[in-house]
Amino acid sequence: MTRDAADAVRRAVAAAVRAPSVHNTQPWSFAVRGDTVVLRADPDRRLGAADPAGREMMISCGAALYTLRLALRREGRAATVRALPDPSRPNLVAEVDARPGGGPGAEELALYEQIERRRTHRGGFRPGPGAVPLLPVLRTAAEAEGARLVQILEARGIGMLAGLTQAADHLERRSSARAGEAARWAPSPGSGRRDGVAATAYPAEPARTEPHFPARDFAHGRGWGTPPDASGGGAELGTVLLLTTLRDEPADWLRAGQALQHVLLRAAGDGLAAAIHTQPLEVPELRGFIRVHLCAGAHPQMLLRLGAADPAADAPPSPRRPAADVTTEED
């Protein structure tokens, strides 16, 4: 690989590590082998209590994979993916061909510009139409990655999801294993850690929506977080959506992660923020209930709300491990 090509791949990996991940665990590593970028899951960063099967870990890796693909296209590389190429090596997520290819299109460039700007929002939204005008475009983005984006319209369905999120949040607080796990990924203010959910990433007093979708209490009653007037939110619920797949295998989780990042970047380009709720999908009984009653038998992979937040109050970017720390060279 020439120096220019190697620099292009390094820039693409540096963009990929900006992908969202559950609790900002960043459960991935990369290797460069000639013109191929290898993405692996890091099981040491899997949430053992909340995610024993590794579903959320794989969704996180899928978000990194989509970001890597997009960044390689921006660099004029091919970004041809072989997903889960070796069943005997489940942590080998994908091999991505990074040979020279055609230049990026205008939409790819616009999506790429949102990688650094996208933030996870925790709380309510400002008044406005939310994501409704953009839904056809967001659905197309999800479908392009092999997933489906379903809007929950009826008050009964929205109330059901809010209630299940509250129940799951209550179960997490009562589980010492899950509460302790969340606490381990919530560094104290001023921490120099390059992972986890920083205290600048959530409000000290989240706005209460109606019906209420609770955010995780990463501060655990210690008063951490941004002050209410700096949270950038409001009290509006936003547009409630479920991201689903037809099946529920690792390949589907990987598709869901790519779809999630595609949707988030497309929404961010139109000034929308996303509040992501994983709590009810981490309880098998609740996830099964959602599948039957709200997904017509499809498998829910992510619950999110989209809406407008105050751009002037954007949280600083969440910490990330440097690309050099998660990338190796292979022969």
Side-chain angles (χ1 to χ4, degrees):
M1 184 182 288
T2 67
R3 175 171 295 180
D4 285 348
D7 288 344
V9 169
R10 279 194 290 269
R11 287 192 293 270
V13 173
V17 301
R18 298 299 314 167
S21 59
V22 59
H23 292 8
N24 193 26
T25 51
Q26 305 168 48
W28 48 60
S29 66
F30 300 86
V32 179
R33 183 194 307 140
D35 287 324
T36 299
V37 182
V38 180
L39 169 61
R40 294 185 176 92
D42 184 347
D44 290 340
R45 290 175 169 267
R46 176 177 58 83
L47 301 177
D51 185 33
R55 183 182 65 87
E56 291 181 327
M57 178 182 71
M58 194 62 72
I59 289 174
S60 301
C61 287
L65 176 58
Y66 177 82
T67 312
L68 176 67
R69 288 167 46 205
L70 185 63
L72 286 172
R73 293 287 298 125
R74 191 253 188 185
E75 297 288 344
R77 316 303 291 185
T80 302
V81 176
R82 295 181 294 277
L84 302 173
D86 186 349
S88 68
R89 300 162 67 191
N91 293 324
L92 176 57
V93 174
E95 296 175 339
V96 184
D97 186 342
R99 287 178 294 181
E107 183 174 345
E108 289 172 313
L109 289 174
L111 290 170
Y112 178 86
E113 291 300 316
Q114 302 306 317
I115 293 172
E116 290 284 344
R117 299 173 185 168
R118 181 211 61 80
R119 302 283 188 275
T120 298
H121 183 72
R122 295 175 174 88
F125 296 105
R126 301 297 185 193
V132 173
L134 196 61
L135 278 179
V137 174
L138 298 181
R139 288 192 181 107
T140 298
E143 290 166 2
E145 310 305 329
R148 185 166 178 251
L149 195 63
V150 179
Q151 182 187 8
I152 307 303
L153 284 166
E154 295 183 359
R156 176 177 173 271
I158 294 172
M160 184 185 300
L161 285 174
L164 294 174
T165 304
Q166 294 169 33
D169 191 67
H170 178 72
L171 289 172
E172 177 177 311
R173 292 169 190 260
R174 290 182 61 85
S175 165
S176 58
R178 292 187 61 190
E181 187 171 71
R184 285 195 296 275
W185 290 100
S188 59
S191 169
R193 276 179 54 175
R194 306 304 296 269
D195 56 12
V197 183
T200 54
Y202 53 85
E205 297 179 16
R208 187 177 181 88
T209 60
E210 184 56 46
H212 185 49
F213 282 78
R216 292 184 194 272
D217 180 19
F218 285 107
H220 291 276
R222 289 171 287 197
W224 300 347
T226 58
D229 59 353
S231 66
E236 296 293 319
L237 181 64
T239 304
V240 180
L241 302 160
L242 284 165
L243 184 70
T244 70
T245 56
L246 290 178
R247 300 182 62 187
D248 199 32
E249 302 295 331
D252 303 288
W253 306 337
L254 190 61
R255 293 185 188 100
Q258 293 176 87
L260 176 67
Q261 179 69 330
H262 195 163
V263 167
L264 294 179
L265 294 179
R266 186 63 181 83
D270 277 70
L272 297 177
I276 299 174
H277 300 277
T278 58
Q279 301 103 305
L281 304 182
E282 292 171 352
V283 181
E285 295 83 359
L286 301 185
R287 186 171 178 239
F289 185 90
I290 292 170
R291 179 192 178 200
V292 171
H293 292 277
L294 292 171
C295 299
H299 297 271
Q301 304 295 352
M302 195 61 61
L303 167 61
L304 59 157
R305 297 182 294 111
L306 291 179
D310 184 357
D314 272 349
S318 294
R320 290 294 192 276
R321 295 180 293 162
D325 289 0
V326 297
T327 308
T328 58
E329 299 281 341
E330 293 183 350
D331 295 331

